Amino acid sequence: PKNGVFHPKIFLFLSKNRKNTSLLIGSANLTMTGFTKNAEMVTKFIFNDNAQNNNFVTIRDFFESLINDGYLLETQVIRILKNAFSYLPNKLNDGENSSCIVIHNMKTAIIPEVIEKIKNEKFSSVTLVAPFFSNDSGLIERINSKLHIGKNRIALQKNHHNLTNAQSYIDYFSRKKIVFEFNEVEFAKDESRIIHSKILHFEGPKEFLLMGSPNMTRNALLMNASQGNIECSVFFMEIQAGTLIRGIDLIATANFEDLINSGREIETNDDEICILKIFSADFDDFSRRLVVITEPLTQHADVHVQMEDGDLSINNDFSLATGKIIIEKIPKGNPLEVIISCDGKNGR
């Protein structure tokens, strides 16, 4: 993306023998903490001859847009995705009426699409849960200007959020005379878990819930892929929505300043983030050759390679004029992480 980050968390499992396709979409990154320690929310869909699902058409459209709009440059990745299309339907089933739909932002921002689906409903409250919020209140303003909402809840996990200055939110709520709360949030089954889930819950006579990769920021929810991040989410309607939020405990606090002050700059605000774009990283175990493709930059880059066993690091000074870094003859072991710094930008 030109102005944001590639942020979806999508796992697609294809079985030719079993003629079965599984799709998982959520908040979990492909990391050990994401799959074992954090409090994450992930939705699983199944597609086969006996279980049709229009969300597989949507996810195919997402991958096709990544290719057709030039977001993917690695030919091997493109080839793998195109091969996967043979397992996915390409036509919507007009008779299907799902209470759980996939929404991405390749063409249209996510929040306007959500608002369009629920604009005629009235809600007693809306609750926003995420580790990252924009410092400005633009997202909450858009939601409240388009929907009938009685109370706004901003839910933060103590010591694990970035909203260190909530004055913009407080000023907006006060100016518009909107009832609001700042709640402390915990994972119901284990309060020690870090909440990495991103949840937008609308509660009223009918309940609706958005979950997935988008944090509560402008780039994630108010922009499409050409303007901000690339994101993918799942929208639950009515029956299922209310049950999912039960795994999260909201704790009312009289002094929300302590909760806000517990935040820290764990991630740069997405409107100010300065990311060095890395398009691919390929390591050939036979030749021991590492090739990283980045955006071209005129300045020289500092490159740090951390090896799998943690015992060896390689530091080199490279030119990024061509957008290509080549390291020959990597010593024994596998590269675990490549960190690149250049002209005030950082990529990993």
Side-chain angles (χ1 to χ4, degrees):
K2 293 181 180 179
N3 303 304
V5 295
F6 184 78
H7 200 244
K9 296 88 170 64
I10 301 171
F11 303 89
L12 189 62
F13 298 91
L14 311 171
S15 174
K16 185 175 182 180
N17 293 334
R18 296 178 62 185
K19 297 182 179 179
N20 193 61
T21 303
S22 298
L23 169 67
L24 285 81
I25 298 174
S27 59
N29 288 306
L30 188 57
T31 62
M32 186 63 73
T33 54
F35 274 76
T36 61
K37 294 183 179 179
N38 293 345
E40 309 277 4
M41 187 176 286
V42 179
T43 304
K44 181 179 180 180
F45 302 95
I46 298 292
F47 173 77
N48 54 44
D49 292 340
N50 299 318
Q52 305 296 312
N53 194 308
N54 281 340
N55 288 313
F56 285 85
V57 181
T58 303
I59 211 65
R60 174 175 177 153
D61 173 69
F62 174 82
F63 286 127
E64 286 181 332
S65 295
L66 285 178
I67 296 171
N68 295 336
D69 295 346
Y71 290 104
L72 295 179
L73 301 181
E74 178 59 55
T75 56
Q76 184 177 0
V77 174
I78 294 173
R79 184 169 62 251
I80 291 171
L81 282 177
K82 287 185 175 180
N83 180 61
F85 293 160
S86 62
Y87 294 82
L88 302 176
N90 58 9
K91 185 179 180 180
L92 292 172
N93 179 5
D94 294 334
E96 184 177 321
N97 185 20
S98 176
S99 60
C100 175
I101 61 173
V102 173
I103 301 177
H104 59 73
N105 71 333
M106 292 306 299
K107 302 300 181 186
T108 306
I110 290 173
I111 281 299
E113 192 167 342
V114 167
I115 289 173
E116 182 62 27
K117 294 182 183 300
I118 60 175
K119 61 184 179 182
N120 297 322
E121 306 291 338
K122 291 187 177 181
F123 301 103
S124 58
S125 66
V126 60
T127 302
L128 292 80
V129 181
F132 305 123
F133 286 73
S134 284
N135 285 329
D136 69 86
S137 58
L139 173 62
I140 205 76
E141 290 183 31
R142 174 71 68 87
I143 292 172
N144 281 268
S145 67
K146 299 296 183 181
L147 299 174
H148 300 281
I149 296 174
K151 179 190 290 187
N152 285 251
R153 294 192 182 98
I154 308 296
L156 308 172
Q157 186 177 27
K158 199 167 186 178
N159 301 316
H160 294 289
H161 68 85
N162 75 326
L163 191 60
T164 55
N165 184 358
Q167 195 59 48
S168 174
Y169 292 81
I170 296 169
D171 290 345
Y172 169 71
F173 292 140
S174 301
R175 186 172 67 252
K176 295 293 184 178
K177 296 181 171 57
I178 296 174
V179 179
F180 72 96
E181 292 178 353
F182 281 86
N183 294 145
E184 184 177 347
V185 61
E186 292 179 351
F187 181 53
K189 295 183 179 181
D190 184 352
E191 64 183 32
S192 68
R193 287 197 174 192
I194 295 175
I195 295 178
H196 191 250
S197 305
K198 302 91 163 65
I199 303 168
L200 184 57
H201 179 223
F202 300 92
E203 188 172 9
K206 296 179 181 179
E207 293 191 58
F208 301 86
L209 184 141
L210 183 77
M211 54 76 69
S213 68
N215 283 292
M216 302 302 147
T217 64
R218 283 180 175 270
N219 272 12
L221 289 170
L222 295 182
M223 306 289 186
N224 63 23
S226 66
Q227 301 166 326
N229 296 351
I230 293 177
E231 306 277 3
C232 191
S233 60
V234 180
F235 189 52
F236 291 87
M237 294 171 280
E238 302 184 34
I239 297 174
Q240 297 184 66
T243 61
L244 295 174
I245 196 70
R246 307 290 188 261
I248 299 292
D249 283 341
L250 297 179
I251 305 169
T253 173
N255 185 4
F256 61 79
E257 290 184 359
D258 288 343
L259 177 61
I260 293 172
N261 290 336
S262 76
R264 50 201 175 95
E265 294 297 333
I266 46 181
E267 183 172 285
T268 306
N269 185 287
D270 62 355
D271 293 326
E272 302 170 354
I273 200 162
C274 202
I275 289 179
L276 188 149
K277 293 179 173 60
I278 299 176
F279 300 116
S280 69
D282 181 69
F283 175 64
D284 187 318
D285 187 48
F286 181 75
S287 66
R288 313 298 300 166
R289 190 173 191 246
L290 175 66
V291 179
V292 183
I293 306 299
T294 74
E295 62 177 304
L297 292 172
T298 57
Q299 302 296 321
H300 278 248
D302 178 67
V303 179
H304 177 84
V305 182
Q306 181 67 41
M307 300 302 290
E308 193 173 41
D309 57 11
D311 294 332
L312 177 66
S313 295
I314 302 172
N315 291 279
N316 286 290
D317 186 45
F318 290 89
S319 170
L320 291 187
T322 62
K324 180 179 285 189
I325 295 171
I326 300 176
I327 302 177
E328 306 280 3
K329 302 299 180 183
I330 293 284
K332 184 179 179 180
N334 293 316
L336 179 67
E337 188 174 64
V338 181
I339 303 172
I340 307 171
S341 301
C342 182
D343 197 22
K345 292 186 173 185
N346 296 284
R348 175 173 299 186

